[in-house]
């Protein structure tokens, strides 16, 4: 049961957070105990995940499997949940964000933890039913979190659009499942793999893969299924937007990896042209869309769409290269992305979370401006930061299969992305604000979080041992 401990502890942690709220009731609405319990508990689970053996594969209850790769994904999910919890702190404090004060902290944290457990389930599944339940458990709570600003029109709009698009995505996924079931006669990966190996050209399997790819395309924000993302990212509270941009993307790509390199591995060669087109179109749409964005959450939405294009490109490669490069990139992408969202939350304390809010940051807070610059350069893939190594592995995965033209195309797209990331740096260092500005205020938790994220961005780019460990386990 050792390998199952993180999953059990996560459920217990969620129950404790909700249980405390039920026990205290309305007598202690401003308590920080659920917050402290959540981030300390997630830190404990992360430490436990780091200590577990990654060379074992154990099957529990006949359908819940823990492998080294699934443990790596769980590290990404826990890290993302941890930084979302830390990021959420000022949003529940009066004066913490100009947009207003969020209420019901325990419920917020409980839903976040429950969502993370759904992601755990996805990467441990061994049949289509468990995979579906895990994905829905990881997605449906996000509809609630997106609308947590109950009296904010943008937040309500975001939640509504997310529900509609998410429901459409679920419908497409079930259509895909029905074709898989028709071809294999079972929902187990084993039966699906046998059917796929026996006849990879089977029309039912191809239809099933097409619908499944479209369904996951919504969640992964692949072109042309990405249109919901800017509105949802802009309307949701920033901690939720950050969580969606990392965890939701990570679980969607995990879902695809499990299917494409698992039961549907025999169809991989026929999927490569589709993945190529999706990758090229997605990174282009995201990069061009980000050029004119002034609202930072919309900016990060288009940046996230472009990043999805780079990630999906790695799936052109073989299983080992794709899995290892994508997991490593998710770590470095999470570090850069959360660092930017922490800075967004800091400027959002006394102003709107727009690009103009960064003006004068270089003079008023040089350290914060430097972290913004490092984060932007890491997301753009500038050496020696972690983002460069991450993109190098993604590009190498496609290059190993001889698809050099997509690598050149992705490199050109990275150049476009460098331009709009430089716009952030320009606002911070060159453009001066009109009139007097309010000093940026950071609490101790924000300083510590930014320090950890900055170290992650630097160390993952400089120390090859970190990437080597991921490559050795998932490769």
């Amino acid at each position: 049961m050792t390998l199952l401990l993180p999953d059990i502890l996560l459920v217990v942690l969620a129950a404790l957070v909700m249980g405390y709220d039920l026990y205290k009731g309305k007598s202690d609405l401003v308590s920080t105990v659920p917050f402290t319990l959540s981030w300390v508990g997630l830190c404990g689970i992360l430490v436990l995940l780091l200590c577990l053996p990654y060379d074992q594969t154990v099957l529990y209850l006949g359908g819940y499997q823990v492998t080294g790769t699934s443990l790596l994904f769980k590290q990404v999910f826990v890290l993302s949940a941890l930084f979302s919890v830390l990021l959420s702190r000022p949003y529940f404090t009066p004066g913490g964000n100009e947009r207003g004060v969020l209420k019901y902290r325990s419920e917020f944290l409980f839903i976040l933890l429950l969502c993370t457990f759904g992601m755990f389930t996805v990467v441990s599944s061994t049949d289509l039913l468990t995979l579906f339940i895990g994905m829905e458990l990881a997605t449906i709570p996000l509809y609630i979190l997106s609308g947590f600003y109950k009296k904010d029109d943008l937040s309500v709009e975001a939640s509504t659009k997310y529900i509609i698009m998410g429901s459409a995505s679920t419908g497409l996924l079930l259509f895909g499942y029905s074709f898989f079931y028709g071809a294999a006669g079972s929902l187990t990966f084993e039966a699906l793999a046998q059917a796929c190996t026996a006849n990879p050209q089977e029309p039912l399997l191809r239809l099933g893969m097409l619908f499944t790819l479209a369904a996951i395309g919504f969640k992964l924000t692949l072109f042309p299924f990405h249109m919901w993302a800017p509105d949802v990212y802009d309307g949701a509270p920033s901690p939720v937007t950050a969580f969606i941009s990392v965890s939701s993307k990570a679980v969607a790509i995990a879902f695809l990896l499990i299917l494409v390199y698992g039961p549907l591995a025999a169809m991989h060669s026929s999927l490569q042209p589709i993945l190529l087109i999706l990758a090229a179109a997605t990174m282009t749409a995201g990069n061009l869309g980000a050029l004119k964005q002034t609202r930072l959450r919309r900016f990060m939405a288009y940046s996230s769409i472009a990043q999805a294009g780079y990630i999906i490109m790695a799936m052109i490669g073989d299983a080992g290269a794709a899995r290892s490069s994508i997991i490593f990139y998710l770590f470095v992408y999470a570090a850069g992305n959360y660092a930017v969202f922490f800075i967004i939350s800091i400027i959002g304390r006394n102003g709107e979370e727009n690009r103009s809010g960064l003006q004068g940051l270089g003079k008023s807070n040089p350290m914060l401006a430097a972290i913004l610059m490092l984060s932007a350069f890491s997301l753009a893939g500038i050496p020696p930061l972690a983002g460069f190594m991450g993109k190098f592995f993604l590009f190498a995965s496609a290059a190993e299969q001889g698809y050099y033209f997509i690598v050149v195309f992705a490199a050109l797209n990275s150049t476009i992305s460098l331009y709009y990331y430089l716009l952030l740096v320009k606002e911070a260092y060159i453009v001066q604000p009109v009139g007097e500005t309010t000093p940026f205020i950071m609490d101790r938790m924000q300083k510590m979080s930014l320090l950890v994220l900055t170290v992650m961005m630097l160390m993952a780019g400089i120390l090859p041992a970190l990437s080597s460990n991921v490559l050795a386990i998932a490769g």
Side-chain angles (χ1 to χ4, degrees):
M1 294 293 282
T2 308
L3 293 181
L4 206 56
L5 272 178
D7 307 59
I8 296 170
L9 289 176
L10 187 61
V11 175
V12 171
L13 180 61
L16 284 174
V17 169
M18 200 64 232
Y20 177 85
D21 187 67
L22 292 173
Y23 174 70
K24 285 292 182 181
K26 293 183 179 179
S27 64
D28 196 12
L29 288 176
V30 294
S31 171
T32 58
V33 172
F35 168 76
T36 307
L37 197 61
S38 297
W39 77 262
V40 171
L42 285 169
C43 283
I45 294 172
L46 183 61
V47 171
L48 177 62
L49 278 169
L50 292 172
C51 297
L52 291 176
Y54 282 73
D55 56 350
Q56 297 180 12
T57 297
V58 181
L59 186 66
Y60 297 99
L61 305 173
Y64 197 89
Q65 184 172 265
V66 182
T67 63
T69 302
S70 71
L71 290 175
L72 284 175
F73 268 112
K74 287 174 185 178
Q75 282 188 34
V76 176
F77 300 145
V78 170
L79 264 177
S80 178
L82 173 61
F83 284 115
S84 287
V85 169
L86 296 174
L87 184 60
S88 72
R89 185 174 179 273
Y91 289 83
F92 287 93
T93 308
N97 191 271
E98 196 180 77
R99 204 174 167 192
V101 183
L102 287 172
K103 295 179 180 177
Y104 308 109
R105 192 197 312 244
S106 297
E107 286 84 345
F108 179 91
L109 297 170
F110 171 74
I111 294 170
L112 196 74
L113 295 171
L114 192 66
C115 196
T116 305
F117 178 70
M119 295 169 185
F120 274 33
T121 307
V122 167
V123 296
S124 294
S125 57
T126 57
D127 59 67
L128 292 175
L129 185 59
T130 311
L131 197 61
F132 176 78
I133 292 171
M135 181 55 86
E136 290 308 299
L137 194 56
T139 305
I140 291 173
L142 292 176
Y143 305 153
I144 304 168
L145 293 179
S146 302
F148 232 69
Y149 274 124
K150 287 185 178 178
K151 296 182 180 177
D152 185 308
D153 290 342
L154 277 179
S155 187
V156 173
E157 181 189 345
S159 182
T160 307
K161 284 186 177 176
Y162 206 6
I163 291 171
I164 293 170
M165 299 310 294
S167 303
S169 163
T170 301
L172 287 172
L173 186 59
L174 288 174
F175 263 124
Y177 270 28
S178 67
F179 290 118
F180 286 146
Y181 186 78
S186 171
L187 291 175
T188 63
F189 285 171
E190 190 179 357
L192 188 58
Q194 286 174 357
C196 192
T197 307
N199 185 12
Q201 308 300 323
E202 166 65 46
L204 286 177
L205 289 174
R206 285 173 172 261
L207 279 170
M209 192 64 236
L210 196 64
F211 276 104
T212 303
L213 203 54
I216 297 305
F218 276 110
K219 301 183 191 303
L220 199 51
T221 64
L222 297 179
F223 179 88
F225 312 108
H226 67 291
M227 299 305 290
W228 60 272
D231 290 337
V232 172
Y233 278 46
D234 193 33
S238 291
V240 179
T241 304
F243 189 70
I244 292 173
S245 70
V246 175
S247 289
S248 181
K249 197 175 297 296
V251 75
I253 195 68
F255 186 103
L256 266 189
L257 284 171
I258 289 168
L259 280 183
V260 172
Y261 294 108
L264 302 177
M267 295 176 67
H268 182 249
S269 58
S270 60
L271 277 175
Q272 285 176 328
I274 300 173
L275 294 172
L276 271 175
I277 294 168
L278 285 175
T282 302
M283 63 179 78
T284 306
N287 284 327
L288 294 181
L291 288 174
K292 291 187 177 179
Q293 301 305 319
T294 56
R295 294 176 65 82
L296 286 173
R297 287 192 299 273
R298 290 187 79 85
F299 175 88
M300 292 305 291
Y302 280 104
S303 162
S304 165
I305 292 166
Q307 302 289 351
Y310 301 126
I311 292 172
I312 202 75
M313 184 183 72
M315 290 191 65
I316 297 166
D318 62 36
R323 272 198 294 260
S324 55
S325 61
I326 287 173
I327 292 174
F328 179 71
Y329 191 71
L330 286 173
F331 277 112
V332 299
Y333 168 68
N337 218 44
Y338 271 106
V340 173
F341 272 103
F342 269 100
I343 294 170
I344 290 175
S345 75
I346 291 165
I347 68 169
R349 182 185 289 267
N350 296 316
E352 290 194 15
E353 296 170 346
N354 293 335
R355 208 165 67 196
S356 59
L358 298 169
Q359 292 173 0
L361 188 63
K363 280 189 177 178
S364 62
N365 197 324
M367 189 58 71
L368 200 59
I371 294 173
L372 174 70
M373 185 172 65
L374 286 174
S375 308
F377 285 175
S378 181
L379 289 171
I382 302 297
L385 297 165
F388 170 75
M389 289 304 296
K391 281 190 178 173
F392 175 79
F393 290 130
L394 293 180
F395 292 4
S397 178
E400 283 174 2
Q401 299 297 310
Y403 291 101
Y404 299 111
F405 69 94
I406 189 68
V407 175
V408 173
F409 190 77
L412 290 174
N413 262 278
S414 286
T415 310
I416 297 173
S417 72
L418 177 60
Y419 170 74
Y420 61 73
Y421 287 125
L422 279 173
L423 291 178
L424 298 182
V425 180
K426 177 189 168 190
E427 293 284 350
Y429 281 100
I430 298 176
V431 181
Q432 295 304 313
V434 178
E436 291 189 7
T437 56
T438 311
F440 295 105
I441 300 170
M442 282 189 287
D443 59 39
R444 188 178 302 173
M445 200 65 82
Q446 287 172 325
K447 289 178 182 174
M448 286 300 299
S449 301
L450 281 170
L451 176 66
V452 172
L453 290 167
T454 306
V455 170
M456 282 175 66
M457 281 187 285
L458 292 172
M459 291 298 106
I462 296 170
L463 296 179
L466 297 177
S467 55
S468 300
N469 287 338
V470 176
L471 300 179
I473 295 167

